[in-house]
C-alpha cells in the first residue's frame, strides 16, 4: 500500500522533523521573552500538542522546567478553558488546584449491568498474564482522545505478537501503530527514561528494556506512557499491581 511505502514513511519522518524543530525554536524564543515572569512554567493547548514527540522535545531542548497540558488539549478542551475563564475572571470564583483525576474523567457514566459476576481483579490480571485481551470499562469516560484506564483495551506488553493481533483483529488499523503502556508511577523509572509523571499520555520516553515489553515499544525504543497512582486511578493501579506480581512487569 502507498501508506506503507518507503516514500510515505520518508515524508512522515520529514514532516515530524520540521514540526519538532519549528516548535522547539518557537518555544526557546518564547522563553527568552517570558523568563522574567513565567518562572519556568509553560502551558500548551491545541491539537498540535497531541504530538508526544514534540512535547518531549520541548522538555529536553528548552529551558522550561514544567510543561502543562490539558488531557483534551485540542478544540474540545477550549470549552473547559472558556468555562474556567468565565468562572475566575467574570464570576470571581476562587481558583482551585485541580488534581489530574479531576480533569480527565469528565465523560458519561453508565450504571453497572444487572447481570454477570462481580469484578475480580485477580481473575483479570491472570487473564492478561495468560494472553487474553480485556475490554476494560469503569466510572466516567475520559475527556479527550486518550484511553486512560476507564475505557481501555488491556493486554500483555510482553507478547511480541500482541500489537499485530490488536491492530489487525480488533482495531482494524495500520500495522505500525504501537500501544501505549500504563505503568505504576512508583516504578516508572525502572522501565522508562523519564523523570516525571505523565498522567495524560502526552509525552514519549525511552523504554529501558524494550526486549521485555515489545508490544509497547516503538521502532526507536520509545513509548507514549501513562503513569498511574492510587489516587489518579485506583482500580487500574490495583489491577497492574496484581499483574506485576504475576509477571514482574508493572
Amino acid at each position: 500500500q502507498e501508506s506503507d511505502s518507503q516514500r510515505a514513511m520518508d515524508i512522515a519522518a520529514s514532516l515530524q522533523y520540521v514540526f519538532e524543530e519549528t516548535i522547539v525554536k518557537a518555544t526557546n524564543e518564547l522563553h527568552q521573552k517570558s523568563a522574567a515572569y513565567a518562572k519556568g512554567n509553560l502551558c500548551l493547548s491545541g491539537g498540535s500538542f497531541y504530538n508526544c514527540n514534540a512535547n518531549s522535545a520541548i522538555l529536553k531542548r528548552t529551558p522550561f522546567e514544567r510543561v502543562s497540558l490539558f488531557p483534551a488539549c485540542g478544540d474540545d478542551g477550549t470549552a473547559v478553558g472558556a468555562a474556567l475563564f468565565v468562572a475566575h475572571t467574570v464570576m470571581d470564583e476562587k481558583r482551585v488546584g485541580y488534581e489530574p483525576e479531576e480533569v480527565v474523567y469528565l465523560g458519561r457514566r453508565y450504571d453497572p449491568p444487572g447481570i454477570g459476576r462481580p469484578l475480580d481483579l485477580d481473575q483479570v490480571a491472570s487473564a492478561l498474564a495468560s494472553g487474553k485481551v480485556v475490554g476494560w470499562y469503569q466510572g466516567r469516560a475520559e475527556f479527550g482522545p486518550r484511553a486512560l484506564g476507564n475505557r481501555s483495551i488491556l493486554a500483555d506488553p510482553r507478547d511480541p505478537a500482541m500489537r499485530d493481533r490488536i491492530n489487525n483483529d480488533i482495531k482494524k488499523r495500520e500495522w505500525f501503530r504501537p500501544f501505549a503502556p500504563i505503568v505504576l508511577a512508583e516504578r516508572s523509572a525502572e522501565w522508562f527514561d523519564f523523570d516525571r509523571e505523565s498522567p495524560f499520555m502526552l509525552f514519549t520516553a525511552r523504554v529501558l528494556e524494550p526486549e521485555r515489553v515489545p508490544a509497547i515499544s516503538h521502532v526507536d525504543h520509545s513509548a507514549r506512557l501513562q503513569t498511574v497512582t492510587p489516587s489518579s486511578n485506583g482500580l487500574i493501579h490495583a489491577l497492574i499491581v496484581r499483574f506485576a506480581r504475576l509477571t514482574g512487569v508493572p
Side-chain angles (χ1 to χ4, degrees):
Q1 297 180 4
E2 178 64 22
S3 62
D4 288 347
S5 69
Q6 186 63 49
R7 178 173 180 271
M9 289 188 278
D10 289 344
I11 292 172
S14 298
L15 287 171
Q16 178 67 28
Y17 174 80
V18 172
F19 180 75
E20 283 187 29
E21 293 302 308
T22 303
I23 288 290
V24 168
K25 181 175 184 293
T27 306
N28 278 318
E29 291 175 355
L30 177 62
H31 185 269
Q32 292 177 357
K33 296 177 180 179
S34 64
Y37 56 85
K39 299 180 180 179
N41 295 303
L42 178 65
C43 183
L44 301 171
S45 68
S48 293
F49 297 106
Y50 287 127
N51 190 312
C52 299
N53 284 347
N55 296 340
S56 297
I58 291 171
L59 285 178
K60 295 175 183 176
R61 298 172 55 195
T62 79
F64 283 106
E65 299 171 11
R66 290 167 295 278
V67 178
S68 298
L69 287 153
F70 189 65
C73 53
D75 291 343
D76 42 356
T78 304
V80 175
L84 290 172
F85 176 81
V86 170
H88 298 310
T89 64
V90 178
M91 308 299 291
D92 288 328
E93 291 286 341
K94 184 179 179 180
R95 291 185 178 271
V96 176
Y98 293 101
E99 295 298 322
E101 63 272 17
E102 295 179 294
V103 298
V104 173
Y105 307 111
L106 303 177
R108 183 173 295 177
R109 183 193 302 273
Y110 295 92
D111 293 330
I115 58 174
R117 298 188 303 273
L119 176 66
D120 184 329
L121 292 180
D122 290 312
Q123 185 180 31
V124 177
S126 179
L128 289 168
S130 66
K132 298 288 181 62
V133 177
V134 172
W136 178 264
Y137 132 75
Q138 60 158 325
R140 296 179 65 174
E142 294 88 341
F143 183 60
R146 299 283 193 255
L148 297 171
N150 277 20
R151 301 291 187 276
S152 295
I153 296 171
L154 305 180
D156 189 343
R158 302 171 302 159
D159 185 348
M162 189 60 73
R163 182 180 65 187
D164 292 340
R165 179 181 169 195
I166 296 178
N167 275 333
N168 294 335
D169 300 338
I170 298 174
K171 301 205 78 169
K172 311 291 186 184
R173 66 182 190 178
E174 299 93 342
W175 61 269
F176 56 82
R177 294 182 63 167
F179 290 92
I182 309 179
V183 60
L184 301 177
E186 63 270 25
R187 297 191 60 186
S188 178
E190 301 172 29
W191 292 82
F192 301 98
D193 182 16
F194 201 69
D195 62 355
R196 64 195 72 200
E197 291 189 6
S198 176
F200 305 141
M201 209 179 280
L202 289 170
F203 296 100
T204 53
R206 185 169 61 85
V207 183
L208 298 180
E209 297 184 81
E211 69 282 354
R212 293 185 63 187
V213 283
I216 55 90
S217 299
H218 299 192
V219 293
D220 62 354
H221 295 165
S222 68
R224 186 185 69 199
L225 78 159
Q226 176 195 1
T227 56
V228 291
T229 65
S231 61
S232 68
N233 196 319
L235 202 59
I236 201 80
H237 185 277
L239 174 64
I240 298 173
V241 166
R242 286 163 171 78
F243 180 81
R245 288 178 190 152
L246 295 172
T247 65
V249 177

